[in-house]
Each structure stands twice: as C-alpha cells, then as structure tokens.
Amino acid sequence: MAEGTNKLFAQSEVSFHASRKDCWVVIHGKVGLQGEKRDLLCDFLGSVGQRSDLVWSGSYDLFQVYDVTKFLEDHPGGEDVLLHASATGDATEAFEEVGHSTSAISMMDSYWIGSIDGHMPPSVSNTSKSWNYDVPPNSEMQRKKGPPEPNTFLDFLLPLFVLGLAFAAWYYLTFVAKGT
Ligand code: HEM
C-alpha cells in the first residue's frame, strides 16, 4: 500500500508493487481529480516547483498511478489481468483495449495515489510504438536524434578512390596516350 497519497513516483518504485498484497497499475491520462485530492496534488506540485495550475485546467498529462490492491477481488475483469497489467509497468494499452465504461473510469479516482515523475515505462521502450511526445525537448535522447554518425570507412575511402581514379585518367590522357 502507498504510505502517502498524491505523490510523484519514480517508475522504478512502481515496479515493487505488483503482487496480490500490494498492486499498483500505471495508466496514462490527464488528471481528472475533484475536490480534496486535486487540492493536495496542486499543493504537492507547487512544493516541488512544478506547474500546479495545469491540474486546474485539466491538462496535466501524466502517467497516473492507481493502487488497486483493495479492488483486485471486485474487479469485473478479474484480478489476474490487473496483476499482469501491474507487472508490465504500463497498463494504458490494456486498459484502453477493454473499452472501460464511463462508470469504470470515474471509479479510478478512488484508487488514484499519484503520478509518474516524467519516467518512460520500461514496457514501452521495448516496443515499436512511438512515444516521442514523452521525451523532453532537451533530453539526452532528443540530442542523440541529430544527424547520423558518419560511416568513416566509406565516407573517407570512397572520395579518395574517386580522386585516385581521376588522377590516373588525367595521367594516362596527358602522358601515356599523347606519347603513342
Ligand atoms: C483502476 C483501474 C481499473 C478500474 C477502476 C477498472 C474497472 C472495471 C470495471 C468497472 C469493469 C466492468 C465493465 C465496465 O464498466 O467497463 C471492468 C472490466 C474489465 N476490466 Fe477493468 N478496471 C481497471 C483496470 C483495468 C486494467 C489495467 C485492465 C487490464 C487489462 C482491465 C481489464 C478489464 C477487463 C478484461 C474487463 C472485463 C471486460 C468484459 O468483461 O467485457 N481493467 N474494469
């Protein structure tokens, strides 16, 4: 169980909560909190220097963490799917594929305990799916996106070879062919 609520968690912390006795799932989505929980998240984000006003406008787009331990037995889809989804580190796709009803979505609020602090879930880094929007503009990953590293062997030897060929042609035409 979470010791406190309304926190920003590291992705690595979430991976320790994937058992029947302690099960968290991570689902991407905007904060749709009401009342006290929203106030607490605003306070928390403000205290760590983040833009708490985005929570009010409903555009704080993050991976959300839900503690579903107490919901495991009651989940209409069964506890195994939740446990599996928990272990993957990112249950977003699985959750959306089911097409949960609006009442299921509104239930999520009561299990919400916090958000992921800008970390990319391990499951998505192994897939071909594009998650570029999660990469901060100045991050190491973005900087690595620049022009590809030159292939030193071809880039260096090919022009030399062409130059050599041109020189040989010039030499042949100037000295050898003229002499015959
Ligand atoms: C806090 C998170 C979740 C809540 C509150 C929740 C709630 C519910 C509810 C209320 C239903 C009944 C159908 C409906 O009203 O849509 C349901 C069904 C189901 N859920 Fe979840 N769910 C959660 C997470 C997940 C996740 C992560 C998965 C991952 C696979 C999942 C898989 C399913 C499945 C397979 C069904 C059965 C659908 C069917 O029988 O047609 N759920 N869930």
Side-chain angles (χ1 to χ4, degrees):
M1 281 286 269
E3 277 168 16
T5 53
N6 309 289
K7 285 169 69 174
L8 284 181
F9 299 104
Q11 179 71 39
S12 53
E13 191 178 342
V14 174
S15 54
F16 293 112
H17 306 265
S19 70
R20 276 198 170 77
K21 286 186 176 167
D22 181 14
C23 181
W24 294 5
V25 289
V26 175
I27 298 170
H28 184 258
K30 294 184 178 183
V31 171
L33 300 168
Q34 305 292 325
E36 197 193 343
K37 282 200 169 182
R38 185 168 59 182
D39 295 349
L40 280 165
L41 180 65
C42 283
D43 287 350
F44 178 74
L45 290 173
S47 72
V48 293
Q50 297 223 22
R51 288 190 58 189
S52 54
D53 57 312
L54 292 176
V55 177
W56 288 100
S57 64
S59 56
Y60 206 93
D61 209 0
L62 284 171
F63 283 90
Q64 310 298 345
V65 186
Y66 302 90
D67 183 345
V68 290
T69 316
K70 288 181 179 162
F71 185 55
L72 283 177
E73 280 183 19
D74 300 328
H75 181 229
E79 59 178 25
D80 285 345
V81 286
L82 286 181
L83 284 165
H84 177 75
S86 171
T88 62
D90 175 19
T92 314
E93 214 172 296
F95 180 83
E96 282 170 1
E97 265 172 16
V98 171
H100 281 84
S101 65
T102 43
S103 75
I105 290 165
S106 59
M107 277 173 73
M108 292 167 79
D109 222 21
S110 46
Y111 302 105
W112 182 85
I113 52 167
S115 310
I116 295 289
D117 187 14
H119 285 245
M120 192 184 289
S123 62
V124 297
S125 55
N126 300 329
T127 68
S128 56
K129 194 172 169 183
S130 170
W131 288 83
N132 285 347
Y133 62 88
D134 275 320
V135 181
N138 292 322
S139 73
E140 189 65 19
M141 275 177 86
Q142 283 285 359
R143 267 180 263 129
K144 278 185 183 159
K145 271 187 174 175
E149 302 267 318
N151 183 337
T152 3
F153 182 73
L154 272 185
D155 287 0
F156 184 71
L157 281 187
L158 205 66
L160 250 162
F161 178 72
V162 172
L163 211 70
L165 216 64
F167 178 78
W170 169 81
Y171 186 86
Y172 177 80
L173 289 172
T174 315
F175 299 106
V176 183
K178 263 189 186 169
T180 57

